[in-house]
Amino acid sequence: MSRRKLAVWKFASCDGCQLTLLDCEDELLSIAGAIDIAYFPEASTTEVEGPYDLSLVEGSITTPHDAERIQTIREQSTTLVTIGACATAGGIQALRNWADVREFTSIVYAEPSFISTLDTSTAISEHVDVDFELRGCPISKAQLVELINAYLNDRRPYIPAHSVCMECKARGTPCIMVRDGVPCLGPVTHAGCGAICPAYDRGCYGCFGPSESANVEALAQWWKGLGVEDLDLVRALRTFNAYAPEFKEVSDRYA
Amino acid sequence: MDPQTVDRHGLDRLITHLAESGFEVIGPTVRDGAVIYDHISSTSDLPVGQGDAQEGGQYRLVNRGDSALFGYNLGPTSWKQYLFPPKTELLHIRRSNGDLVIEEPPTRTRPMAFFGIRGCELAAISIQDKVFLDSGYVDRTYASGRKDLLLVAVNCTTSAATCFCTSMGTGPKCESGYDIVITELVDDGETRYLVAADTERGESIITAVGGSPAKDEQLANAESAVQSTAADMIRSMDTDGIYDLLIENPDHPRWEQVAERCLTCGNCTQACPTCFCSDVADRVTLDGTAIRERRWDSCFGLDFSALNREPVRESTSSRYRQWMTHKLATWHDQFGSSGCVGCGRCITWCPVGIDITEEIVAMKETVST
């Protein structure tokens, strides 16, 4: 059987997620040995033509050109996996969805007329079918390796969709919200980071987006009891995964 | 052997004696703004002068203004992390000459001593004993931790607002299941510790540590300290008829009401000293070796009840109902006792302060009227 072909694609994003693949260091040679890295401009100028067996897609759709390009990539890809908050929820650039992007371009660019951009930044799944979404800003190296590994072995990746709290409890971090009243998004945020922030006395920022069955409204009400102002609640929900439906619905309610 | 009293140095000798006898001594200590359990080597590692204020979804360390060693109440972690760790490697699997080689990783050989375990926590261990040792299958990880485990208990002379052990019959006094029990006695400014043994092992340790025979007055003071702790306990759970209440009301509107507040984050199950659910998954490397690992899981997760990828308990109300009904009712069918020891951790460490005792009250009120 010939080796399967991997492609890595970039849309509106910071490159951090695809660089996670290069950051795999210890596993990188094993990955390169197990799958053909056919298209990955960040790593190699060699481009092997499609179709591709596995496409990793980073970034959100923000331009008319990208909205067309993702269709072509989908057609060329047997399995398409989005990597990171941009591709999965529209990223931090989805903040434009609540504003007038033409106003932004008029301030930022000397010749705004050269800029062809959409009014919104949207997730890849808004445009094409997505087979799996890898969460995070950036994604977790361990989860990326697990995803590729599971794909190569035709099994389901072991990537629990439960809350960050499960990771805090497993590493023995006393809940920062309970012991110190620090607002934390952990109870409604998808696990995967290993609960880093609460271990350093910071509330969870929600980098991995909503967990399965996230009850964001109930947490919002508790935060208000902790003295969090509506504006700060909205800011907390509108960061890396602002346009994830579970976060958006509640941030709109308090905006 | 009659109960003895020692001063704080006596407890230091006790800890040292345990360490020198080969035990890994684990006890309460302050870290990250809470009393947690970790390795200790002297009484200065204990939460000296620390108390705490607890409520639903709230925990604060409080300076007691004295030098009490056991003036704190239960913190977020329980002893289960040592007997049933959050992550356990079960098997190592690799290929060799076309065959699969499957090896069980070694388990613990050095015995542990739990120093400062409370009555409700002794009860929690005896409940997990039934799950991991007496239910027909012996869990080798749990059994290795439980083997020769030495239990130095402490009678509670203080309670948190979230405690309800008196309702569950597990405290504040340690009735059985320990080797040594300590009661802290504040007397004329000089704190003494009443130590009593319940096993031969405990007796020989107390003999080695030395002390003076307890006076009648000290015994009476210890008894009254524990009794007033019981009398002062704020929370309670009326367990009368609780089995039928839960079994007969699967469609009670209260389940939907609590589901509106429940985050399904799983904290209650992770903090609970008796919750024992786990998930087993293989971590496979690209070069073909695998580690089969067990991790704590929670009935509040969707994957937990997934059959053929779809969850059986999709709604939050069904998941909360599953947890509470199992804990307080069907646990009796399965293991012959309640699964709740009244430690109150699920109340304090619920990020939004959901209170299992309040849920029972609400359900009882509406059912009876």
Side-chain angles (χ1 to χ4, degrees):
Chain A
M1 192 179 108
S2 66
R3 295 204 311 167
R4 295 191 227 183
K5 286 160 72 180
L6 171 76
V8 183
W9 308 94
K10 175 184 162 61
F11 288 83
S13 57
C14 77
D15 281 31
C17 290
Q18 52 173 309
L19 286 178
T20 304
L21 186 55
L22 290 179
D23 191 32
C24 284
E25 295 173 358
D26 291 348
E27 298 88 355
L28 191 57
L29 286 178
S30 301
I31 292 171
I35 195 165
D36 252 344
I37 301 180
Y39 181 86
F40 187 14
E42 194 82 59
S44 167
T45 49
T46 311
E47 292 177 13
V48 181
E49 279 189 13
Y52 306 99
D53 297 297
L54 174 63
S55 276
L56 301 178
V57 179
E58 176 195 87
S60 66
I61 304 298
T62 56
T63 67
H65 173 245
D66 279 353
E68 284 174 25
R69 190 160 63 97
I70 189 62
Q71 299 295 337
T72 316
I73 291 167
R74 177 70 266 192
E75 284 162 17
Q76 288 184 303
S77 310
T78 311
T79 300
L80 188 151
V81 175
T82 59
I83 55 170
C86 299
T88 302
I92 201 157
Q93 60 273 23
L95 289 174
R96 72 160 68 172
N97 302 1
W98 284 278
D100 181 359
V101 75
R102 271 171 292 274
E103 199 182 323
F104 290 165
T105 54
S106 72
I107 295 166
V108 174
Y109 297 98
E111 289 288 348
S113 57
F114 292 164
I115 303 299
S116 168
T117 190
L118 295 170
D119 289 340
T120 55
S121 167
T122 44
I124 299 299
S125 62
E126 295 280 308
H127 301 265
V128 296
D129 286 339
V130 170
D131 297 295
F132 194 83
E133 293 178 329
L134 210 51
R135 303 292 197 84
C137 182
I139 55 170
S140 135
K141 191 167 90 172
Q143 289 198 339
L144 178 63
V145 174
E146 165 61 11
L147 175 100
I148 294 171
N149 196 340
Y151 169 76
L152 289 171
N153 289 292
D154 297 317
R155 63 176 173 84
R156 204 180 163 200
Y158 186 69
I159 295 175
H162 54 219
S163 72
V164 170
C165 301
M166 296 288 286
E167 297 185 320
C168 262
K169 285 287 183 285
R171 67 186 284 171
T173 304
C175 176
I176 187 170
M177 197 157 69
V178 171
R179 72 169 145 98
D180 214 13
V182 172
C184 178
L185 283 175
V188 296
T189 298
H190 192 293
C193 63
I196 302 166
C197 292
Y200 293 92
D201 291 343
R202 304 289 292 263
C204 167
Y205 292 91
C207 305
F208 275 62
S211 54
E212 60 182 17
S213 70
N215 188 349
V216 185
E217 175 58 32
L219 183 67
Q221 287 179 20
W222 188 262
W223 276 30
K224 288 179 72 69
L226 293 176
V228 176
E229 301 291 337
D230 285 359
L231 180 66
D232 292 323
L233 171 62
V234 171
R235 279 179 176 155
L237 291 171
R238 290 185 185 171
T239 59
F240 317 102
N241 290 277
Y243 227 59
E246 296 90 336
F247 286 1
K248 177 184 180 295
E249 185 194 340
V250 177
S251 77
D252 283 346
R253 199 171 295 148
Y254 290 88
Chain B
M1 176 189 222
D2 290 329
Q4 305 287 305
T5 65
V6 295
D7 59 8
R8 183 169 160 179
H9 299 298
L11 293 187
D12 274 317
R13 289 198 301 276
L14 172 56
I15 294 169
T16 305
H17 179 80
L18 294 175
E20 285 172 354
S21 307
F23 288 101
E24 196 177 328
V25 187
I26 299 158
T29 193
V30 172
R31 197 181 69 208
D32 298 332
V35 175
I36 54 105
Y37 299 135
D38 206 340
H39 295 90
I40 57 163
S41 55
S42 77
T43 57
S44 52
D45 291 331
L46 301 178
V48 184
Q50 290 287 344
D52 47 77
Q54 301 193 33
E55 250 313 326
Q58 253 189 70
Y59 176 99
R60 295 290 184 278
L61 280 181
V62 175
N63 190 343
R64 288 170 53 96
D66 60 16
S67 55
L69 300 180
F70 304 106
Y72 63 92
N73 299 294
L74 300 183
T77 54
S78 71
W79 303 96
K80 86 173 173 185
Q81 66 178 324
Y82 292 101
L83 296 171
F84 167 51
K87 281 184 189 171
T88 307
E89 290 186 358
L90 301 177
L91 296 175
H92 292 178
I93 307 162
R94 61 185 165 83
R95 288 183 213 280
S96 176
N97 300 325
D99 282 332
L100 282 182
V101 179
I102 301 174
E103 288 160 341
E104 289 188 324
T107 52
R108 162 182 295 281
T109 51
R110 188 179 171 196
M112 290 182 284
F114 290 173
F115 182 91
I117 183 167
R118 307 296 180 101
C120 62
E121 300 184 303
L122 288 168
I125 289 181
S126 79
I127 287 172
Q128 287 213 328
D129 283 352
K130 288 182 207 159
V131 176
F132 289 117
L133 301 176
D134 306 334
S135 62
Y137 299 93
V138 173
D139 183 86
R140 61 192 291 273
T141 305
Y142 188 90
S144 71
R146 196 69 178 87
K147 187 170 184 292
D148 297 329
L149 176 68
L150 188 92
L151 296 166
V152 181
V154 168
N155 285 321
C156 289
T157 47
T158 172
S159 70
T162 43
C163 292
F164 56 102
C165 64
T166 47
S167 302
M168 308 315 289
T170 63
K173 187 175 182 176
C174 302
E175 299 290 353
S176 63
Y178 55 82
D179 294 285
I180 294 170
V181 65
I182 301 171
T183 314
E184 189 165 39
L185 295 167
V186 180
D187 188 18
D188 290 340
E190 192 216 3
T191 304
R192 300 285 297 177
Y193 298 90
L194 185 72
V195 289
D198 199 41
T199 60
E200 283 179 22
R201 208 160 54 138
E203 280 190 15
S204 68
I205 291 167
I206 292 177
T207 306
V209 168
S212 42
K215 298 172 197 147
D216 287 347
E217 190 190 349
Q218 288 171 319
L219 290 172
N221 286 348
E223 189 62 32
S224 85
V226 175
Q227 275 177 13
S228 63
T229 302
D232 293 345
M233 210 162 287
I234 297 166
R235 265 183 177 74
S236 63
M237 184 188 279
D238 179 8
T239 55
D240 208 24
I242 207 168
Y243 183 92
D244 290 342
L245 177 79
L246 291 166
I247 297 298
E248 289 167 9
N249 289 286
D251 299 318
H252 194 283
R254 188 72 190 182
W255 299 122
E256 292 301 331
Q257 289 160 15
V258 72
E260 282 178 23
R261 297 167 61 208
C262 177
L263 305 176
T264 66
C265 59
N267 272 303
C268 47
T269 57
Q270 308 301 282
C272 177
T274 69
C275 272
F276 58 85
C277 285
S278 61
D279 191 15
V280 174
D282 291 350
R283 283 197 285 125
V284 188
T285 63
L286 282 162
D287 59 24
T289 62
I291 294 172
R292 179 156 297 172
E293 194 173 68
R294 176 172 74 184
R295 305 179 193 187
W296 284 358
D297 201 1
S298 171
C299 51
F300 282 88
L302 281 172
D303 274 349
F304 182 85
S305 72
L307 295 175
N308 204 14
R309 293 198 180 186
E310 292 302 317
V312 173
R313 289 186 284 271
E314 190 171 11
S315 68
T316 299
S317 57
S318 68
R319 283 180 263 163
Y320 189 86
R321 182 181 61 202
Q322 158 66 26
W323 175 67
M324 192 158 127
T325 306
H326 185 217
K327 188 67 58 186
L328 299 174
T330 52
W331 205 292
H332 286 276
D333 300 332
Q334 201 178 0
F335 301 112
S337 75
S338 174
C340 175
V341 296
C343 72
R345 284 190 180 90
C346 60
I347 303 172
T348 301
W349 298 96
C350 171
V352 293
I354 294 173
D355 179 348
I356 191 170
T357 67
E358 199 179 291
E359 294 310 306
I360 288 295
V361 169
M363 203 168 275
K364 279 199 166 181
E365 277 173 357
T366 44
V367 166
S368 59
T369 50

